[in-house]
């Protein structure tokens, strides 16, 4: 014969595990697209779109991996640089825009969601210095004769 105490203890344990892992009756966040690596010239603008469905109470953050600096959490910018801008379309897409890109902006950027375990996507930005064009002055000698 099965004990009601054992059944209740088992259900309580399952409920506690579900609550701790975030699975209590809801779909977990997931990325709905891939981030695209970008190559730009110094001074240009770059835009990265991070799409997450079922975000619920979780938060999207952007991180610059080479410097391990937090750019944003939600719509709040932590990077003290007005070239960086975060927008949210009100549904599922969080967009990182960097204006007037500098060579130091190169590297990997991480879009992450604070689930447990955390989920993230990484994208690479390559910033090229514009080619320097040097025009030579040509001396033209005209001979009379």
């Amino acid at each position: 014969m099965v004990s009601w105490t054992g059944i209740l203890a088992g259900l309580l344990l399952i409920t506690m595990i579900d609550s701790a892992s975030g699975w209590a009756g809801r779909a977990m966040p997931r990325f709905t697209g891939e981030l695209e690596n970008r190559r730009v010239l110094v001074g240009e603008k770059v835009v990265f779109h991070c799409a997450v469905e079922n975000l619920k109470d979780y938060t999207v953050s952007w991180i610059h991996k080479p410097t391990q600096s937090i750019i944003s959490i939600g719509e709040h910018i932590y990077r003290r640089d007005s070239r960086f801008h975060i927008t949210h379309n009100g549904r599922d897409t969080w967009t990182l825009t960097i204006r007037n890109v500098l060579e130091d902006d190169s590297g990997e950027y991480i879009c992450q969601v604070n689930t447990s375990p955390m989920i993230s996507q990484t994208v690479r930005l390559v910033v090229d210095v514009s080619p320097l064009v040097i025009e030579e002055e040509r001396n033209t000698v005209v001979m009379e004769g």
Side-chain angles (χ1 to χ4, degrees), residues 77-85 99 102 105:
I77 297 274
Y78 285 88
R79 183 115 181 209
R80 293 183 182 175
D81 188 333
S82 61
R83 298 177 307 115
F84 288 77
H85 188 69
R99 293 183 184 94
L102 302 175
D105 296 328

Side-chain angles (χ1 to χ4, degrees), residues 7-133:
I7 292 173
L8 290 175
L11 288 173
L12 179 60
L13 179 61
I14 290 170
T15 303
M16 288 170 53
I17 291 170
D18 282 350
S19 295
S21 67
W23 285 96
R26 65 179 174 161
M28 292 298 289
R30 71 176 191 89
F31 295 104
T32 58
E34 294 291 320
L35 293 172
E36 294 183 26
N37 294 334
R38 296 289 312 274
R39 177 176 225 113
V40 298
L41 292 174
V42 167
E44 291 184 337
K45 175 175 85 171
V46 67
V47 178
F48 296 116
H49 302 284
C50 183
V52 183
E53 70 178 9
N54 300 320
L55 191 59
K56 309 282 188 209
D57 296 328
Y58 295 101
T59 304
V60 172
S61 300
W62 282 97
I63 297 161
H64 185 225
K65 189 173 180 181
T67 59
Q68 296 187 354
S69 61
I70 296 171
I71 298 168
S72 69
I73 297 176
E75 294 183 66
H76 184 77
I77 297 274
Y78 285 88
R79 183 115 181 209
R80 293 183 182 175
D81 188 333
S82 61
R83 298 177 307 115
F84 288 77
H85 188 69
I86 299 295
T87 55
H88 178 231
N89 70 353
R91 292 183 314 278
D92 62 354
T93 303
W94 296 81
T95 302
L96 168 63
T97 303
I98 310 170
R99 293 183 184 94
N100 195 25
V101 172
L102 302 175
E103 194 173 4
D104 289 344
D105 296 328
S106 290
E108 292 182 333
Y109 288 81
I110 301 169
C111 174
Q112 75 177 29
V113 179
N114 65 334
T115 53
S116 180
M118 177 198 70
I119 60 171
S120 65
Q121 283 189 329
T122 302
V123 65
R124 175 171 294 282
L125 172 62
V126 176
V127 180
D128 292 325
V129 178
S130 59
L132 182 61
V133 177

